[in-house]
Amino acid sequence: MLHASNAAFGSHPDGYTREQMAAALDMTPDALSAAVHEDRFPVRAQRFKLLQRAQHAFSEALRVVKFRQICESGDTRLNYCTALGDLMNCSQDSCRDLFECSCPEIDELCALARRAGSFGSRLTGAGWGGCTVHLVSRDKVESVKQVLVSEYYAKKFPNMTAAELDNALFATAPGCGACYYE
């Protein structure tokens, strides 16, 4: 799919204008706007980076497959945290560079956590300034949290109370995902 995306959209590496997209779909720009319901969901863009968005979506899907394969591999020679963390870091890089749904604050939090010992750090949720998740060994949780507090929260939010900080920054442990019981 990545090759197909490059073949389909590679001729416009800087993105398509609305007019170019409409022409490629054999529509007028007004018909395109109606088809994507721009009256209800306004689009504020001059260029539409279809190649980059497709590259992100397909490479992200591949990372999900690889993540699952690593978890299910049973390979005793593999450093699981490093392998999974690398995928998380690649995901964050793709969110930032290809999908452009990160922001400087998220990028800073991820960089700080990685320098403090996180195997992997990435945005999560809806993006565009949402939340971060970090893969950290138990023995480094407190030191990573302390770096995030001292290097980010204390500087950006000096009046944040301890209770607010506890709501903003907390550790969890992995568990079973959602499931359906009959």
Side-chain angles (χ1 to χ4, degrees):
M1 292 307 298
L2 288 169
H3 295 298
S5 299
N6 288 332
F9 306 123
S11 63
H12 292 82
D14 295 327
Y16 289 76
T17 64
R18 183 180 312 277
E19 293 74 20
Q20 289 169 323
M21 284 194 320
L25 295 168
D26 199 25
M27 323 173 88
T28 66
D30 288 339
L32 176 62
S33 292
V36 299
H37 305 285
E38 260 191 285
D39 59 326
R40 294 178 54 205
F41 306 102
V43 176
R44 295 177 188 92
Q46 298 303 312
R47 300 197 72 78
F48 299 88
K49 297 181 179 180
L50 303 182
L51 174 62
Q52 293 85 345
R53 302 314 187 250
Q55 287 174 328
H56 168 76
F58 293 125
S59 65
E60 189 75 353
L62 183 58
R63 282 187 287 276
V64 170
V65 170
K66 287 180 179 179
F67 198 99
R68 181 176 179 173
Q69 288 172 338
I70 291 167
C71 290
E72 293 176 344
S73 74
D75 185 347
T76 57
R77 298 166 294 151
L78 184 63
N79 183 326
Y80 286 88
C81 289
T82 299
L84 298 175
D86 288 346
L87 291 172
M88 291 175 68
N89 292 334
C90 287
S91 178
Q92 173 59 26
D93 294 347
S94 181
C95 285
R96 181 192 62 229
D97 300 335
L98 296 175
F99 206 74
E100 299 179 278
C101 64
S102 191
C103 63
E105 295 83 358
I106 294 287
D107 298 336
E108 182 179 356
L109 284 166
C110 289
L112 288 168
R114 289 174 189 170
R115 282 197 299 271
S118 173
F119 291 104
S121 298
R122 59 157 289 157
L123 62 79
T124 189
W128 292 282
C131 301
T132 59
V133 61
H134 312 278
L135 180 60
V136 179
S137 60
R138 288 181 196 260
D139 63 318
K140 291 190 178 178
V141 169
E142 290 307 315
S143 61
V144 169
K145 284 176 62 177
Q146 185 52 47
V147 166
L148 294 175
V149 168
S150 64
E151 296 298 316
Y152 183 82
Y153 288 97
K155 292 177 180 180
K156 303 261 186 197
F157 306 100
N159 297 323
M160 186 176 257
T161 67
E164 291 170 328
L165 188 57
D166 285 343
N167 287 329
L169 180 63
F170 51 90
T172 63
C176 294
C179 60
Y180 177 75
Y181 290 102
E182 290 188 42

